[in-house]
Amino acid sequence: MINFNKPYLTGKETQYIEDAVASGKISGNGKYTQLCQQFFEQKYGFGKCLLTTSCTDALEMAAILINIEPGDEVIIPSYTFVSTSNAFVLRGAKIIFADSSEENPNIDTTKLEALITPRTKAIVPVHYAGMACDMDTIMELANRYNLFVIEDAAQAVDSFYTGKNGIKKALGTIGHLAAFSFHETKNIISGEGGMLAINDMQFANRAEIIWEKGTNRSAFFRGEVNKYSWVDIGSSFLPSEVIAAFLWAQIKQLNKIQERRKAIWEQYYERLNNTNSNFKLPQIPNYATNNAHMFYLVFESLEKRNEYVFRLKKNGIQAVFHYLSLHRSEYYLKYNKALELRWSDYYSERLLRLPLYFELTNTDVIKICNEIINE
Amino acid sequence: MINFNKPYLTGKETQYIEDAVASGKISGNGKYTQLCQQFFEQKYGFGKCLLTTSCTDALEMAAILINIEPGDEVIIPSYTFVSTSNAFVLRGAKIIFADSSEENPNIDTTKLEALITPRTKAIVPVHYAGMACDMDTIMELANRYNLFVIEDAAQAVDSFYTGKNGIKKALGTIGHLAAFSFHETKNIISGEGGMLAINDMQFANRAEIIWEKGTNRSAFFRGEVNKYSWVDIGSSFLPSEVIAAFLWAQIKQLNKIQERRKAIWEQYYERLNNTNSNFKLPQIPNYATNNAHMFYLVFESLEKRNEYVFRLKKNGIQAVFHYLSLHRSEYYLKYNKALELRWSDYYSERLLRLPLYFELTNTDVIKICNEIINE
């Protein structure tokens, strides 16, 4: 059986966990949390990073930081994970769903301006499959209408965007805030886990307070105040050092992991390209890089996709579809009128993800491709 | 140096973590999460348990489950951790602070009824130091005024309450809902970590949905629905299997850990009792048991406490005070008028916690007691 995903263990995870425990500090914001945060800040150029227990929690921090209040509107793609939406709903936001583009599941920026109203507070682009959204257009609109941009970079670690000015920037460094995931299905993992990246430094101090349950505990440990107390809303957003130690082992192998994932992605692409008219392959926009988070096919119909899922399963290969359009969900329709978002539904029905993980062998990829090609 | 706390490693943590990783499943709600939850349900008689990333998150789940809305009032003690309050503030609640009792830091139930208004939705008793609040009185008031009771049992694992009917029940099984902590300072730990316990089973199904980011994913995996989608608000409340595997190792040694902690507590009590008029020792109410979460002294004054903190520190012993009254916090006073809560302030100023952890030796305890006794 070839599973859709298999979490990869570098071999150093338990060593670092044991070290964390031996240090007498396994609650949050210890040595490994600092190491991970510094790594991301330095390698990719985020203003400030804070590890969180999940990408969901990082999005919730963002919603608190931009002071979402009941009635504020937040624009997000309908083709995304439920947390992109719930994080803002929890603070009272009204969600305005945007459609995906025809070319890929990312938000269609040509239709974005029409969704902006005087109540709009933020746009949350999701870099689907780790491939950049059209950030120049999004940031230009945000500047013009005075909106916050929060990049949902759950899948986008180690991926880049090159703007019209020719400058190449890491995803998650472009918006005011960004959220990453280290869920077991991601390129580097800690089981559950995430990170808030802060680029607009007006948010830096308050982020630290919200992260520490609404207290100024971080300032206390830096000796800036002589006791810490309740100064704001907040939650326990910071993960255990056990999680950070696990992530640190993964970070140390990031290059090796990325190299292998990209090789698998290329192998899929080369073997499947121009072989079959039942599906299309992902196309990487000129401004984007590929972090090999995911390899997907887009079929001509739901029926055709189901046929392939069934056939692959029969041959011991687990391929899985992805999001269901959030604008069609039970929760959304309880409070809102039905929407038509053609391309969101298109990807809900037709996109299929193939196995992609570090330990997937070339032989596995060949087997999978052969099953797909030989109708 | 004798630290205030030292996280105890049973030795099996990394073995279980490696097993979790080898199973290919380290995101939430896997084998170890199930094992931990079943253990607590079966040993203590909770209706249903769900592990969370923190006790804070368990309290947030409770606030969502009882449908806290802006303007709802929630009664909590002022002498507690900030999360007891923030979890409800995040949903829009108005916090009504109750005083501690003269006998111990737990909520003074003789003054509770006066705080109830038509807007009151819940009472959140905190079992300070793992010693039961007067739950008969609290539950009787809750029944009479149709309120929810959410036990903040952060410190109260493996502790009990015996009601007027003579029935002995585990703390956390009495209220409609309860929240536990496995923070590194607790009796059994996972670095950061917590658990929601559900006793009123009307909440069981929705709790599972809220826990899984507002989706019916759990029902999907049980085969009850054929796909899962957005059905409610929620968050990523569930911890990584890495955390659950760590906790499972601790659970397996619970009896051994508790035996040692209780022996240390008794040793402190016997050595310090009737030795010194500068402080009082904790008294366990007749209806409560002692889970040896904490050993504390209550000094006659703030000055006297500071004198002892300084002297112990000089002799290599770390003793620490605890909560600052939340009704005096910057955040509370920004939105509310000043309150006088005498006993909350009393414990803020005078309570001192002594080192208490599994690996603290009898010699350590003797040294600490001698420093305290020999003024």
Side-chain angles (χ1 to χ4, degrees):
Chain A
M1 183 73 191
I2 302 175
N3 286 326
F4 169 65
N5 183 50
K6 182 166 181 264
Y8 170 60
L9 186 67
T10 69
K12 292 280 194 179
E13 285 80 359
T14 49
Q15 181 186 318
Y16 293 140
I17 290 170
E18 279 173 5
D19 178 55
V21 175
S23 79
K25 163 75 176 171
I26 56 166
S27 61
N29 200 11
K31 171 177 130 186
Y32 286 101
T33 298
Q34 301 287 339
L35 282 172
C36 293
Q37 292 174 175
Q38 282 163 16
F39 168 84
F40 286 110
E41 288 164 7
Q42 286 163 15
K43 182 169 173 80
Y44 298 110
F46 304 109
K48 182 184 176 73
C49 290
L50 293 171
L51 291 192
T52 56
T53 53
S54 63
C55 185
T56 303
D57 280 42
L59 290 165
E60 288 175 13
M61 285 186 72
I64 293 173
L65 283 168
I66 65 168
N67 281 321
I68 290 288
E69 285 174 11
D72 287 344
E73 293 178 3
V74 177
I75 300 172
I76 72 167
S78 176
Y79 192 71
T80 186
F81 191 56
V82 63
S83 291
T84 318
S85 189
N86 255 337
F88 297 91
V89 172
L90 279 171
R91 303 305 307 147
K94 178 175 165 62
I95 303 300
I96 306 298
F97 284 120
D99 206 357
S100 295
S101 73
E102 184 175 349
E103 293 73 31
N104 64 47
N106 283 347
I107 202 164
D108 183 349
T109 52
T110 66
K111 297 186 203 145
L112 208 47
E113 189 166 6
L115 301 177
I116 296 171
T117 77
R119 303 297 316 252
T120 307
K121 196 156 207 176
I123 304 171
V124 188
V126 179
H127 302 300
Y128 188 78
M131 287 179 209
C133 294
D134 169 12
M135 292 306 292
D136 275 346
T137 304
I138 292 168
M139 295 311 292
E140 189 277 315
L141 281 171
N143 287 335
R144 186 138 48 91
Y145 290 96
N146 200 22
L147 310 176
F148 293 112
V149 173
I150 296 153
E151 296 179 68
D152 183 337
Q155 307 170 10
V157 73
D158 198 44
S159 200
F160 297 84
Y161 171 80
T162 304
K164 291 191 198 96
N165 59 8
I167 297 172
K168 188 174 174 179
K169 298 187 77 174
L171 297 189
T173 65
I174 304 164
H176 302 82
L177 298 162
F180 287 87
S181 172
F182 307 116
H183 185 265
E184 68 169 16
T185 51
K186 301 306 186 290
N187 293 30
I188 54 172
I189 64 175
S190 59
E192 305 276 345
M195 183 175 76
L196 178 73
I198 299 157
N199 303 309
D200 182 340
M201 293 302 276
Q202 70 164 303
F203 294 119
N205 283 338
R206 191 173 177 224
E208 213 173 48
I209 287 168
I210 288 166
W211 188 58
E212 281 274 26
K213 305 151 192 100
T215 71
N216 51 353
R217 188 165 173 272
S218 297
F220 170 74
F221 280 116
R222 283 195 300 267
E224 295 165 15
V225 293
N226 67 0
K227 56 192 174 183
Y228 74 91
S229 63
W230 188 22
V231 295
D232 205 336
I233 55 173
S235 183
S236 188
F237 287 115
L238 72 183
S240 168
E241 276 286 287
V242 174
I243 293 293
F246 194 108
L247 183 62
W248 181 242
Q250 296 269 319
I251 283 173
K252 302 267 270 185
Q253 296 296 321
L254 175 65
N255 291 343
K256 188 176 98 175
I257 291 169
Q258 288 298 82
E259 204 176 309
R260 177 67 195 138
R261 293 186 73 106
K262 285 176 189 171
I264 295 168
W265 200 99
E266 294 296 338
Q267 200 187 351
Y268 269 134
Y269 194 90
E270 283 161 23
R271 289 197 166 255
L272 294 175
N273 196 22
N274 295 322
T275 57
N276 190 311
S277 61
N278 288 326
F279 54 78
K280 291 189 289 189
L281 302 187
Q283 302 302 321
I284 303 160
N286 288 333
Y287 50 68
T289 60
N290 172 28
N291 72 344
H293 170 61
M294 184 197 299
F295 194 89
Y296 65 80
L297 309 176
V298 182
F299 285 88
E300 63 182 20
S301 69
L302 175 62
E303 294 68 32
K304 194 53 83 178
R305 182 180 73 178
N306 289 346
E307 186 190 311
Y308 274 75
V309 170
F310 182 75
R311 186 147 54 80
L312 288 167
K313 192 175 174 185
K314 217 176 56 185
N315 289 285
I317 297 158
Q318 189 187 23
V320 297
F321 57 87
H322 210 180
Y323 308 129
L324 303 177
S325 290
L326 290 180
H327 73 281
R328 293 197 181 276
S329 68
E330 180 186 322
Y331 185 78
Y332 182 78
L333 291 174
K334 200 169 12 173
Y335 302 103
N336 300 279
K337 277 184 289 191
L339 281 179
E340 284 298 324
L341 296 171
R342 175 182 172 190
W343 296 106
S344 177
D345 290 343
Y346 174 87
Y347 293 110
S348 290
E349 290 179 354
R350 301 176 198 203
L351 187 146
L352 187 69
R353 296 177 290 164
L354 301 182
L356 202 175
Y357 49 87
F358 185 84
E359 291 173 278
L360 193 72
T361 65
N362 292 345
T363 316
D364 291 335
V365 177
I366 292 167
K367 181 185 168 182
I368 296 164
C369 291
N370 286 345
E371 294 298 343
I372 290 170
I373 297 163
N374 305 320
E375 308 180 64
Chain B
M1 183 72 192
I2 302 175
N3 287 325
F4 170 64
N5 183 51
K6 182 165 181 265
Y8 170 59
L9 186 68
T10 68
K12 292 280 195 179
E13 285 80 359
T14 49
Q15 181 185 320
Y16 294 140
I17 289 170
E18 279 174 3
D19 179 55
V21 175
S23 78
K25 162 75 175 170
I26 56 166
S27 62
N29 199 11
K31 171 177 130 186
Y32 286 101
T33 298
Q34 300 288 336
L35 281 171
C36 293
Q37 292 174 176
Q38 282 162 18
F39 167 83
F40 286 110
E41 289 165 7
Q42 286 162 16
K43 181 168 174 82
Y44 298 111
F46 304 108
K48 182 183 177 74
C49 290
L50 293 171
L51 292 191
T52 56
T53 52
S54 63
C55 185
T56 303
D57 279 43
L59 289 166
E60 288 175 15
M61 285 187 72
I64 293 173
L65 282 169
I66 65 169
N67 281 321
I68 290 288
E69 287 174 11
D72 287 346
E73 294 178 3
V74 176
I75 300 171
I76 73 168
S78 176
Y79 192 71
T80 186
F81 190 56
V82 64
S83 291
T84 318
S85 189
N86 256 336
F88 298 90
V89 171
L90 279 171
R91 305 304 306 147
K94 178 175 164 62
I95 302 299
I96 306 297
F97 283 121
D99 205 357
S100 295
S101 73
E102 184 174 351
E103 292 74 28
N104 64 48
N106 284 346
I107 202 163
D108 183 348
T109 54
T110 65
K111 297 185 204 145
L112 208 47
E113 189 167 7
L115 301 177
I116 296 171
T117 78
R119 301 298 316 252
T120 308
K121 196 157 203 174
I123 304 170
V124 187
V126 179
H127 302 300
Y128 188 79
M131 285 178 210
C133 295
D134 169 12
M135 291 306 292
D136 275 347
T137 303
I138 292 167
M139 295 310 292
E140 190 276 316
L141 281 171
N143 287 334
R144 187 139 48 91
Y145 289 96
N146 199 24
L147 310 175
F148 292 112
V149 173
I150 296 154
E151 296 178 69
D152 183 336
Q155 307 171 10
V157 72
D158 199 44
S159 200
F160 297 83
Y161 171 81
T162 304
K164 291 191 198 96
N165 59 9
I167 296 172
K168 187 174 174 177
K169 298 186 78 176
L171 297 189
T173 66
I174 303 163
H176 303 82
L177 298 161
F180 287 87
S181 173
F182 306 117
H183 185 264
E184 69 171 15
T185 50
K186 302 306 186 291
N187 293 31
I188 54 172
I189 63 175
S190 59
E192 305 276 344
M195 182 175 77
L196 177 73
I198 299 157
N199 303 309
D200 182 340
M201 292 302 274
Q202 68 163 307
F203 294 118
N205 284 336
R206 192 174 175 224
E208 214 172 48
I209 287 168
I210 288 166
W211 189 59
E212 280 274 26
K213 304 148 191 103
T215 72
N216 51 354
R217 188 165 174 271
S218 298
F220 170 73
F221 280 116
R222 285 195 299 266
E224 295 164 15
V225 293
N226 66 1
K227 55 191 174 185
Y228 75 91
S229 62
W230 189 21
V231 296
D232 207 335
I233 55 174
S235 181
S236 188
F237 287 116
L238 72 183
S240 169
E241 275 286 285
V242 173
I243 293 292
F246 194 108
L247 183 62
W248 181 241
Q250 297 270 318
I251 283 173
K252 301 268 269 185
Q253 296 295 322
L254 175 64
N255 290 342
K256 189 176 97 178
I257 291 168
Q258 288 298 82
E259 204 176 309
R260 177 67 195 139
R261 292 187 74 106
K262 285 177 190 172
I264 295 168
W265 200 99
E266 293 296 338
Q267 200 188 349
Y268 270 133
Y269 194 90
E270 283 162 23
R271 289 197 166 256
L272 296 175
N273 197 23
N274 295 323
T275 57
N276 190 312
S277 60
N278 289 326
F279 54 79
K280 290 190 291 189
L281 301 187
Q283 302 302 320
I284 304 159
N286 288 332
Y287 49 68
T289 60
N290 172 27
N291 72 344
H293 169 61
M294 184 197 298
F295 194 89
Y296 65 81
L297 309 176
V298 182
F299 285 88
E300 63 184 20
S301 69
L302 174 63
E303 294 67 33
K304 194 52 84 178
R305 183 180 73 178
N306 289 347
E307 184 190 313
Y308 274 76
V309 169
F310 182 75
R311 185 148 54 82
L312 288 167
K313 192 175 174 184
K314 215 176 56 185
N315 288 286
I317 297 159
Q318 188 187 24
V320 297
F321 58 88
H322 210 180
Y323 309 127
L324 302 177
S325 290
L326 291 180
H327 73 280
R328 294 199 180 275
S329 67
E330 178 185 324
Y331 185 79
Y332 181 79
L333 291 174
K334 197 164 20 168
Y335 302 104
N336 301 277
K337 276 183 290 193
L339 280 178
E340 284 297 325
L341 296 172
R342 174 183 173 192
W343 295 106
S344 177
D345 290 343
Y346 174 88
Y347 293 110
S348 290
E349 291 179 353
R350 303 177 196 204
L351 187 144
L352 187 69
R353 296 176 291 163
L354 301 182
L356 201 175
Y357 48 86
F358 185 83
E359 291 173 278
L360 192 73
T361 66
N362 290 346
T363 316
D364 291 334
V365 177
I366 291 166
K367 179 183 174 188
I368 296 164
C369 291
N370 286 345
E371 294 299 343
I372 291 170
I373 296 162
N374 305 321
E375 309 179 63

